[in-house]
Amino acid sequence: MKLNTLFVAAVLASTSLSSCVFKTADENQLKYTHTTLVDGDAYAFFRQVGTIAPYEASYSKHVETVGSAQAKEVSGKVAKVFGEMMPQLDSLATKFHVDFPILGAEQYTAPSEATTTVAVEEDTATPDSVAAAAPVEIARHAEVYSDEAYLHHIQHQIAVVKEHFRRMSRNTNKELRDYAVAKSETIAELYKAAGGKEEHAHH
């Protein structure tokens, strides 16, 4: 009889403590390993889009002071779309334990301070932790501003963002998938405004 009583007491104690143990384990996992709660595609989405958005939003402010009417119109739309997107992405990243790059993201610098131009390299890796991830490289602005160079640059950047949203619209995480689907039309319109041409699949 005493053995059964001890067994029942042990089961009840372990059940009551399990919720605390799991919460502590979850917190320690994030604290010590920085393991995210998203898959590789979602991780790449946050890293790439979270790097491009603040850079292009800050670059658009410069374009609005020196660009033509067309460039100013495009840069205004870029600033609006990316400006609205950043806090939403920040909230989602926080929820799913992704160290979002917006806080330390590169901002636009004046052309005289620009030193190099690098090409966008899409993050196709699927790291298990943020610590293992290499910094995301973005296509920087041209050394000397021109409307043609800006429009070509921003069209390419939006195309990268658009592709990440397309991939996220098929993600297994419902909340991220729904967000991507809800924003896809806005991104497509921005791409079109920047001069991008939609590719239609042939049957």
Side-chain angles (χ1 to χ4, degrees):
M1 184 69 178
K2 288 183 179 179
L3 187 60
N4 286 342
T5 305
L6 287 173
F7 178 74
V8 170
V11 169
L12 290 174
S14 65
T15 303
S16 64
L17 292 175
S18 64
S19 61
C20 294
V21 171
F22 287 129
K23 187 170 190 283
T24 303
D26 186 50
E27 289 171 356
N28 286 339
Q29 181 183 26
L30 178 62
K31 181 178 177 182
Y32 296 114
T33 68
H34 295 283
T35 303
T36 67
L37 302 178
V38 296
D39 63 14
D41 270 351
Y43 180 80
F45 167 83
F46 280 117
R47 295 280 294 166
Q48 193 78 45
V49 177
T51 302
I52 290 173
Y55 181 86
E56 297 308 332
S58 65
Y59 188 11
S60 67
K61 293 175 185 173
H62 175 70
V63 176
E64 287 175 6
T65 64
V66 299
S68 66
Q70 182 190 7
K72 286 179 181 178
E73 183 182 354
V74 171
S75 68
K77 290 177 180 177
V78 167
K80 183 176 185 297
V81 171
F82 286 166
E84 290 173 356
M85 189 187 302
M86 286 189 288
Q88 297 165 353
L89 290 175
D90 192 35
S91 295
L92 286 169
T94 300
K95 181 172 184 177
F96 294 110
H97 298 179
V98 178
D99 286 342
F100 202 44
I102 276 184
L103 291 176
E106 183 179 351
Q107 298 290 312
Y108 169 81
T109 54
S112 60
E113 298 171 23
T115 55
T116 58
T117 302
V118 295
V120 168
E121 290 188 11
E122 191 168 336
D123 187 356
T124 55
T126 56
D128 290 330
S129 73
V130 175
V136 176
E137 291 186 339
I138 60 171
R140 295 189 181 94
H141 57 278
E143 296 265 349
V144 178
Y145 175 83
S146 75
D147 292 329
E148 184 181 355
Y150 172 71
L151 292 172
H152 177 75
H153 164 85
I154 196 61
Q155 182 181 325
H156 182 266
Q157 295 294 79
I158 297 168
V160 172
V161 171
K162 184 170 171 281
E163 173 60 16
H164 277 288
F165 270 87
R166 183 193 67 77
R167 290 168 67 174
M168 285 306 299
S169 69
R170 299 174 182 178
N171 198 271
T172 55
N173 183 309
K174 185 179 185 308
E175 189 167 351
L176 296 178
R177 183 173 68 242
D178 289 348
Y179 175 75
V181 169
K183 283 288 183 184
S184 288
E185 187 176 344
T186 302
I187 300 298
E189 287 172 1
L190 184 62
Y191 181 65
K192 188 176 178 182
K197 303 248 190 295
E198 294 289 345
E199 293 182 8
H200 299 285
H202 297 285
H203 297 286

